[in-house]
Amino acid sequence: MSDKPMIYYPLSVLMLAGIREVLVISTPIDLPHFQRLLGDGSHLGLSIDYAEQSEPGGIAQAFTIGADHIGTDSAALVLGDNIFHGHDFSQVLEDNARDVQGCVLFGYAVRDPERYGVGEADERGRLISIEEKPARPRSNRAITGLYFYDNDVIDIAKNLQPSARGELEITDVNRVYLERGKAKLVDLGRGFAWLDTGTPESLLQAGQYVQTLEERQGVRIACLEEVALRMGFIDAEACYRLGAEIPKSDYGRYVMSIAGAA
């Protein structure tokens, strides 16, 4: 989208959280495209693996598909059609990705919460209710497509009862943590942007937002090479080489300029 593939946006979120081991889950048709685009991730200082979701099984199926990849570690999940942007977002991510005990969800105020999964938290940020597309929402905080979990999420997902659609629902996972008193809701608040590009209209709006911001500020949102450099995953020389591979594009020149200023 704009001047980069859509997957750059969620992948940059994981990188900003300090995550370097990534599993991309997609359909058998789409997965080869991601593999050609990202490879093993080593050029960005990452380790990227791939797994197929052969048919729709719900968001929470990611944890049964990715159980071996997760091992005994905590896990983060970000949806491939979500865009996040805001000041000090990297710090917010790092603070909440560190030593996860239970689950950490991210809430964003919306004017039509009945269209979303909605979370309600107390003054300490502890989740006290969660509802999926409620007719009478108890808050206006939509649960975004970014989640941090401790390792219990694997067993929780494996023991879920599928929904009427035969899918493992992420809200059911979150509800287990809620019942255990181990769910936290971080309010992204004003100054942040969360864009769900799951419809043609929302994709167009997101593209316009990104284009306007990048043109006015002269920066690139979700430039993976820049994020990798800033996070210390690669050095300036490696970053410059990546930009030099596409020197005739504005994106490539931007990467080279970032590396040259480092």
Side-chain angles (χ1 to χ4, degrees):
M1 189 179 64
S2 183
D3 60 352
K4 64 187 75 69
M6 182 65 212
I7 195 175
Y8 276 32
Y9 294 90
L11 183 54
S12 70
V13 171
L14 298 179
M15 294 170 66
L16 288 169
I19 295 169
R20 302 179 70 169
E21 296 181 1
V22 177
L23 178 66
V24 176
I25 300 174
S26 190
T27 66
I29 293 176
D30 292 329
L31 207 60
H33 301 301
F34 293 127
Q35 290 174 307
R36 285 193 293 271
L37 175 67
L38 300 171
D40 65 2
S42 58
H43 60 293
L44 296 169
L46 307 177
S47 174
I48 302 179
D49 292 322
Y50 301 86
E52 291 185 359
Q53 187 179 38
S54 57
E55 56 187 30
I59 295 171
Q61 192 182 41
F63 298 109
T64 61
I65 293 173
D68 290 340
H69 177 86
I70 297 169
T72 59
D73 293 334
S74 56
L77 172 66
V78 62
L79 302 187
D81 59 1
N82 276 215
I83 296 174
F84 297 84
H85 182 253
H87 181 63
D88 283 339
F89 190 37
S90 179
Q91 192 62 54
V92 172
L93 292 171
E94 288 192 65
D95 289 347
N96 287 283
R98 188 183 303 116
D99 191 29
V100 178
Q101 301 291 325
C103 83
V104 181
L105 310 177
F106 294 84
Y108 188 81
V110 295
R111 65 180 180 181
D112 49 356
E114 64 278 358
R115 293 181 51 231
Y116 302 90
V118 176
E120 179 187 15
D122 63 17
E123 65 279 359
R124 295 177 296 167
R126 184 174 61 92
L127 189 70
I128 56 178
S129 76
I130 187 169
E131 303 172 283
E132 187 64 30
K133 298 181 180 178
R136 296 182 177 179
R138 298 176 63 174
S139 87
N140 67 340
R141 292 301 189 271
I143 303 296
T144 69
L146 174 63
Y147 318 84
F148 293 157
Y149 297 99
D150 64 17
N151 194 255
D152 288 349
V153 72
I154 296 175
D155 286 334
I156 291 172
K158 286 180 177 177
N159 289 295
L160 280 184
Q161 291 297 317
S163 68
R165 298 182 298 176
E167 299 183 356
L168 301 182
E169 303 289 352
I170 199 68
T171 298
D172 292 337
V173 171
N174 298 334
R175 193 168 285 118
V176 172
Y177 280 104
L178 168 62
E179 292 168 353
R180 295 180 179 181
K182 299 180 66 177
K184 176 182 178 182
L185 183 65
V186 176
D187 186 2
L188 292 179
R190 299 178 66 176
F192 277 88
W194 169 56
L195 304 168
D196 183 342
T197 64
T199 67
E201 294 79 9
S202 60
L203 181 61
L204 177 61
Q205 292 171 356
Q208 292 171 337
Y209 170 84
V210 171
Q211 183 180 20
T212 299
L213 200 64
E214 290 186 342
E215 288 181 353
R216 288 184 178 179
Q217 296 188 353
V219 298
R220 290 289 189 277
I221 298 173
C223 173
L224 297 186
E225 297 83 358
E226 180 180 14
V227 175
L229 177 63
R230 298 290 188 235
M231 296 299 294
F233 298 170
I234 61 174
D235 59 22
E237 182 179 351
C239 184
Y240 189 89
R241 285 198 304 269
L242 292 174
E245 292 177 1
I246 45 174
K248 295 183 179 180
S249 70
D250 288 341
Y251 186 91
R253 287 192 288 270
Y254 177 79
V255 172
M256 287 189 287
S257 69
I258 290 296

